[in-house]
Each structure stands twice: as structure tokens, then as C-alpha cells.
Amino acid sequence: MAEIYKNYVDGKWVEAKSGGTFENRNPADRHDLLGLFPDSGPEDVDLAVGAAKKALPRWRLVPAPKRGEILFRVGEILRRRKEEIARVMTREMGKILKETRGDVQEGIDTAYYAAGEGRRLFGETIPSELPDKFAMSVRAPVGVCGLITPWNFPMAIPTWKLFPALLCGNTVVLKPAEDTPLTAVKLFEILEEAGVPPGVANLVHGTGEKAGAALVRHPDVQLVSFTGSAAVGREIAASCGRDLKRVSLEMGGKNAQVVMEDADLNLALEGALWGAFGTTGQRCTATSRLILHRDVKQTFTDMLVARAEKIKIGDGSDESVEMGPLINDAARQKVHGYVQLGKEEGARLLTGGTIYEEGKWIDGWFYRPTVFDRVSPSMRIAQEEIFGPVLSIIEVKSFEEAVEVLNGTRYGLSSSIYTRDVARAFRAMRDFEAGITYINGPTIGAEAHLPFGGVKESGNGHREAGTTVYDIFSEWKSVYVDYSGKLQKAQIDNVE
Ligand code: UN1
């Protein structure tokens, strides 16, 4: 019998009202069933939002340093349970243990950061224009927040949203991706153990179409924070726009690594391999375009292909494996479809481009590391997010052309350049259209205490992580205190 998991609403573990469930299976082995999870609908979302609304008046009055102390305990428990959660995550999501440990670590770092922020959460004091008058700005919570998160970082991304939201005094409902619900259950067990009061954080499982959409549309949800595809983000933004809700979106990328002729090629090679094939290419920050200066193109391409062919594919729970499966069958079909398209568009397939099903791997969603050469910047494989281990090489003649190619997509999340020329490095920092730029590092590796997000269709102007995420989850209020004892009109009304 498969284990049956539940939603977490108002401090209790409950089934979906309909009694319906969905399966959670291991992407490395489709016969491995992790459990059944509630297939929630609008009525379940309504209960969770109701609980969050009810808990808000008390939670917003808990002093921020105290809210921070609870989050510190969350971090401590996450640290204690790191290995157990990493193993669960590898089993439900597929990425290798080193990476799932990193994913949990990002949650730990985010918890500690939020805990510290509880003793800051700064506003400003500003001198008033008038005598005997004091002016300041303070932060207030926004209200009930609906959080919708993807499967590729099953712990890190929920914590990026949840911890700052709670620290600011909001209450939340999380709808995690249906491919990775068990990691979310672990997180909520920890919130409960750390002493997050009932109703403050609620968990509703289910699909985006049913549970996610109901959360976005619920009239008592004041803020929606979503990480996922640009197509879904657009729908969410439209719905929130109509209802005048605050909405923060982190969406796709078509991130590029530039390798100039003066680069340290061995260093750039390690970066490209990690950026393109780490997490099987399923990071929003993954490297999917490699822009090579023509003077190093052939050498670098040969080095890359030789190494890509040696990557050990398999079940991520085996410590010697370097690349796990894709998340599910649909993802693999999408990746394979793009590979066919690349060939039709005239790109040259150098390696990979096939499903990997040797031996027992026939039961998982494995795909070979794939490299295309002779890709032109306008091809669809160079423009659209593939979200798999597929890297497209584009040759350029100059730094200026590299910038133009790098900027020539709808997206602008992460970017990278390998060069030894300090002037070029600074030009890249200035001219790359991206929320994140790495100099002599791959496109992945964002740290939890710096702003994370992208320009153009990668986002809608917000930044998670860093200090900036605290602006998403708080409302600014300006406060004036007049101690003159008389009516002092505003400065503009006193000017002769
Ligand atoms: C994502 O790509 O979906 O920079 C998040 C990184 C991680 C976070 C990535 N710290 O790769």
C-alpha cells in the first residue's frame, strides 16, 4: 500500500475534500511510488486561505525578532534533517544527492538570513520639513500570500518565498509543484515542530490548473508569488492585474555563457559543463547557449564534447552518478522534440540527442547530454527555453557581437563571461541584459543573500532573496508625528 500524505491547514493534516489523490513517482524509476497526495480543489484552497486570514491578526503582532527566532529554529531543524530530506528529494525529483543537499542548504541559509532580518527589518527616519514634527517609514505585512513553486528546487524556492513572507508578518498558503510534494510535506513538518502557529503557514497540494488557479483568484489572497514558466506567469499576472493584487514572478531563462579568446579554457570548460548539465539542465539559470569566440571555438568545442560524453548518467542516489533523469515523461518528450527541431533547423548535433535507456535505466526519464554546433542566434533552439541537458554553440567574431547575441532573446535571467580582460568584464557587467551576471563563473550559483531575478520576460521587476525580497512581502507606511501642539499645515500650504 502506498503511503497517503495530506494537506496542512490550520495546524492540522487533512485530506482533500473530494478525497481525490495523485501519485508521486521516482523519475529515475517509474515503478517506485513515493506516495499519494491530495488532489485539492477550490474548496480546499478556500479552507486554507480562511485559516491564513484568521491567523493574520495575531501573527502580524508577534514582534519581528520573535518571528525570526522561530525561523532560526526552522533552520536548525532543516540542518539536522538535511541528509534525510536530500534523499527524499533525489527520489522524487531525480537530481543527484550533491545537488539535493545543496538545495536543502539554500533553505537553511535562507532561514538564517530571515532570522537575522527579524532584528533589522529597517525602515527610515527622515527629517520633517516642519518644526516639532517627526517623520519615518515603517514596514507592514501585505496580508495573505499565495505561493506557487516549481519542482526543480523543491526546498530552496518554497523557502525563498515562505521565510521572508512569514518574517514580514504575513500568513501564507503554499501550493508546491505536483512532481515534488513530499519535500514540501517535510518542510511543513519542520514549520510545525519549530512552533509556527496554526493557520500561519498552510500547505495545499494539487495541480496548477485546479489548486493553483483557485489560490491566484481567491479574493482574500493579497499577494501571489510564482516561480515557473513565462506562459503560466503571464496568465497569473493578468488575473492579478484585474484584481489589483501584488504579484511577483520568476520565470524562464535562455542563459548564455560567453567564452572569449583570452579566457582560461579549462576554467570555462568546468563552468560550461556544470552550467549546462548540472541538475540535468533543469535550472532557470542553466546555461543553454554557449557563445564562443571563433579563435577558440574548435578547441573549446572538442574539449566540451569529450567531457560531455563521459558524464555518468543514472539514479541520483548513487554517489558516483553525475547527472540524473529529467523530471517526467512530458519533459523528456519536450526536450527530444527540441532536439529534432534543432536538426531540422540546420544545427549540427555533435553529441547526445537521444533518450538514454541502457539496462535498468529504461524505467527512468533519462536523456544524454546534448551539444549542438552551428546554431544561429535566431533558431528556435537558441531562443526558447528547453529545460533539459541541451547546449547550443553560437560562434562570434568579437566581444560586441557576443553581447548582441547574448542579449538577443526574450529572456534575461542569468549570464556569464570568461575573459582575462578587465575592461571587457566591466563592459559585460554593464551591457548584459540580465538580472545576474557572472565573471569567470557559470550561469548558476546564485547566493541566498543577493537579489535573484531577471529582466525582460524572465520576471516582472521583483527580486527574490537578498534584502529585496523583503520589499515584495511588505507594504511601506509613512508615519508623521506632530508634537508642536498646533495645526501645522503641510509645508506646501505654508509657503508665501
Ligand atoms: C533556479 O535556477 O531555478 O543559482 C534557481 C542557482 C541556485 C538557484 C537556482 N542557487 O543555481
Side-chain angles (χ1 to χ4, degrees), residues 106 152-153 157 160 227 282-286 413 438 443-447 452:
E106 195 143 338
N152 66 336
F153 277 84
I157 294 180
W160 281 4
T227 300
Q282 302 171 109
R283 294 196 191 209
C284 351
T285 50
L413 183 54
Y438 293 92
T443 59
I444 64 182
E447 300 183 26
F452 181 93

Side-chain angles (χ1 to χ4, degrees), residues 113 447-452 463-470:
Y113 186 100
E447 300 183 26
H449 53 295
L450 271 83
F452 181 93
R463 291 292 181 273
E464 296 198 297
T467 54
T468 43
V469 71
Y470 293 87

Side-chain angles (χ1 to χ4, degrees), residues 27-31 313-315 332 355-366 368:
D29 175 7
R30 70 189 84 177
H31 304 300
I313 305 171
D315 185 334
R332 188 166 70 174
I355 283 167
Y356 183 76
E357 47 189 1
E358 277 167 25
K360 62 179 174 173
W361 305 129
I362 194 158
D363 290 324
W365 311 116
F366 296 96
R368 283 182 206 276

Side-chain angles (χ1 to χ4, degrees), residues 253-254 330-347 349 353 367 370 372 375 379-392 410-411:
K254 193 68 194 171
R332 188 166 70 174
Q333 283 179 33
K334 179 180 166 198
V335 168
H336 199 49
Y338 269 109
V339 168
Q340 304 320 309
L341 180 70
K343 290 194 234 170
E344 283 161 27
E345 286 182 304
L349 182 66
Y367 205 81
T370 300
F372 274 110
V375 177
M379 286 180 184
R380 283 181 59 196
I381 56 164
Q383 289 290 329
E384 297 174 20
E385 189 175 44
I386 299 174
F387 228 62
V390 180
L391 185 59
S392 293
R410 309 199 315 265
Y411 295 111

Side-chain angles (χ1 to χ4, degrees), residues 167-292:
L167 194 274
C168 290
N170 304 284
T171 56
V172 306
V173 177
L174 171 70
K175 204 298 281 175
E178 60 268 39
D179 281 301
T180 54
L182 189 48
T183 304
V185 166
K186 299 284 167 197
L187 175 60
F188 274 71
E189 286 170 9
I190 292 171
L191 296 178
E192 189 176 31
E193 185 186 339
V196 173
V200 168
N202 305 278
L203 170 67
V204 176
H205 295 287
T207 61
E209 295 76 36
K210 257 201 308 188
L215 187 57
V216 169
R217 283 200 295 263
H218 199 291
D220 290 330
V221 169
Q222 275 89 29
L223 180 159
V224 176
S225 175
F226 166 79
T227 300
S229 71
V232 175
R234 214 180 276 278
E235 294 294 315
I236 292 177
S239 166
C240 290
R242 273 192 299 275
D243 295 337
L244 296 178
K245 290 180 185 179
R246 185 178 296 202
V247 56
S248 158
L249 306 170
E250 294 295 346
M251 298 172 291
K254 193 68 194 171
N255 316 295
Q257 174 180 318
V258 175
V259 182
M260 294 306 297
E261 79 284 6
D262 63 346
D264 175 339
L265 293 190
N266 290 316
L267 187 67
L269 176 64
E270 296 306 325
L273 289 163
W274 172 227
F277 305 125
T279 321
T280 320
Q282 302 171 109
R283 294 196 191 209
C284 351
T285 50
T287 308
S288 59
R289 295 179 297 153
L290 187 58
I291 301 173
L292 300 181

